[in-house]
Amino acid sequence: MKLEIRNVTKKYGKFCAVKNFSYEFTEGVYGLLGPNGAGKTTIIRILADVLNPTDGSVMLNGEDIKDMDYRYRNLIGYLPQDFGVYKNFTAHRFLMYIAALKGLSKTESQKRIEELLEITNLKEYSNVKTGTFSGGMKRRLGIAQALLNDPKILIMDEPTAGLDPKERVRFRNLLSEISKDKIVILSTHIVSDIEYISKEIVLIKKGEILKTGSSESLTNEIKGKVWKVLTDENGLKTIEERFTVGNIFRNGNKIETRIISENRPDDSAEAEIPTMEDVFLYYFDELSE
């Protein structure tokens, strides 16, 4: 299975949200990573066929998804960034409603809903009205509805927003399990969501692809650009003005800083092993531009 974005551009009046964007997905997990406003949601909505590009096309196995129409939509599961629920519906009733919209039979729906409520840790809230749900619970319900039709292409925009750390881990493990025969596309600005499970990460900046690669290759590319520097209160202000600072750790009178810099900041600086968080700061922090 091959899903291709071919030279896609999306304009809103004079503003260009996505510029000549081309990329190819096959089975596995892909992370679209970038700061807020980078164009990730626009790309996700175009892939989900809820937004038309100004130019370009999206192709599945060589066929334009616009020509495929419902045949394409039957293959996808979609979780938008802003996911709403019917507050007077219970979780079970809400999922039955979505299953009906997706054309699933009642018998098939019942079995699938039970499985997904278990997977998303919502089984005990099956008969509770969604209006009482926390933000994280609603997000988990959104993940469940996206998986209802056992989609071949799973498209999710900021899927872990509102989830606690344990729920994030559970969600990442779930995606790893199901991705062997699916295309899974996640849009996020949270590095940990995709760092360990993505086949490839696509760095997006101002509507364009900045860089692609595995987390290992991306971190390797900035080796020699991440440093540990010990300083004091007087030196900290100067460091923050001159460099991108990832972390600040205070230990008594000493302050340990993690710095992103093309060159060694000073003679006492020690090289550190880069992480994906460092990659994000290197490419997207204002001082790094």
Side-chain angles (χ1 to χ4, degrees):
M1 187 165 51
K2 183 167 68 173
L3 182 64
E4 298 174 84
I5 307 176
R6 294 185 180 176
N7 303 312
V8 162
T9 293
K10 180 61 182 179
K11 294 181 179 179
Y12 297 95
K14 294 182 179 180
F15 175 68
C16 191
V18 174
K19 306 172 188 176
N20 197 33
F21 196 103
S22 295
Y23 194 75
E24 181 180 301
F25 304 93
T26 55
E27 284 86 352
V29 180
Y30 294 81
L32 307 185
L33 181 65
N36 291 328
K40 304 186 302 297
T41 292
T42 300
I43 294 163
I44 285 289
R45 295 184 71 199
I46 290 171
L47 285 169
D49 198 26
V50 297
L51 183 67
N52 293 322
T54 305
D55 292 300
S57 59
V58 178
M59 314 290 287
L60 179 63
N61 297 330
E63 187 174 1
D64 195 314
I65 65 169
K66 292 300 178 186
D67 296 331
M68 294 181 69
D69 195 21
Y70 72 90
R71 289 185 293 119
Y72 177 71
R73 287 192 289 275
N74 285 344
L75 293 173
I76 68 173
Y78 174 48
L79 175 64
Q81 186 174 22
D82 299 314
F83 174 72
V85 297
Y86 295 106
K87 63 181 182 181
N88 290 321
F89 279 20
T90 64
H92 186 275
R93 186 184 176 193
F94 176 79
L95 291 176
M96 284 294 291
Y97 171 70
I98 299 297
L101 293 178
K102 293 188 176 188
L104 277 65
S105 70
K106 189 173 182 180
T107 302
E108 183 183 8
S109 298
Q110 291 283 11
K111 182 181 178 182
R112 184 67 175 154
I113 287 169
E114 288 301 313
E115 291 174 354
L116 290 172
L117 287 172
E118 182 72 39
I119 287 170
T120 56
N121 205 26
L122 287 172
K123 192 168 185 178
E124 64 180 293
Y125 304 101
S126 175
N127 296 313
V128 177
K129 289 185 177 181
T130 60
T132 67
F133 281 15
S134 67
M137 292 168 71
K138 289 176 183 176
R139 206 68 189 158
R140 281 185 273 151
L141 188 62
I143 292 168
Q145 65 80 31
L147 292 167
L148 269 171
N149 57 327
D150 192 21
K152 290 297 181 184
I153 302 169
L154 185 59
I155 303 167
M156 296 186 157
D157 194 1
E158 302 289 354
T160 63
L163 301 187
D164 66 31
K166 186 176 180 180
E167 290 169 338
R168 285 177 186 272
V169 171
R170 188 185 183 100
F171 172 69
R172 290 199 299 267
N173 290 343
L174 169 64
L175 291 187
S176 292
E177 289 173 11
I178 67 175
S179 65
K180 61 181 180 292
D181 61 348
K182 301 181 191 298
I183 295 173
V184 181
I185 305 167
L186 308 180
S187 163
T188 186
H189 62 280
I190 301 171
V191 173
S192 60
D193 283 355
I194 57 174
E195 183 169 8
Y196 300 108
I197 65 170
S198 291
K199 175 180 179 178
E200 191 156 85
I201 296 170
V202 183
L203 302 183
I204 301 172
K205 189 173 186 178
K206 296 179 181 177
E208 298 180 279
I209 293 179
L210 184 64
K211 183 81 67 173
T212 66
S214 66
S215 59
E216 182 179 7
S217 68
L218 290 170
T219 53
N220 282 340
E221 284 187 21
I222 65 165
K223 276 186 176 178
K225 298 174 183 177
V226 183
W227 309 90
K228 179 174 72 174
V229 176
L230 292 177
T231 187
D232 54 24
E233 289 292 346
N234 292 330
L236 180 59
K237 185 176 180 181
T238 301
I239 286 173
E240 291 179 317
E241 289 174 349
R242 292 181 58 202
F243 303 105
T244 296
V245 180
N247 288 308
I248 297 172
F249 176 73
R250 295 176 184 275
N251 184 10
N253 294 326
K254 288 293 181 181
I255 301 172
E256 182 181 303
T257 59
R258 187 180 183 91
I259 291 172
I260 314 296
S261 174
E262 292 287 342
N263 303 302
R264 185 185 292 271
D266 62 41
D267 291 340
S268 67
E270 298 177 17
E272 293 282 279
I273 297 173
T275 65
M276 274 304 300
E277 186 174 272
D278 297 320
V279 170
F280 189 95
L281 290 173
Y282 179 77
Y283 287 111
F284 300 124
D285 191 86
E286 291 179 359
L287 290 175
S288 299
E289 296 180 354

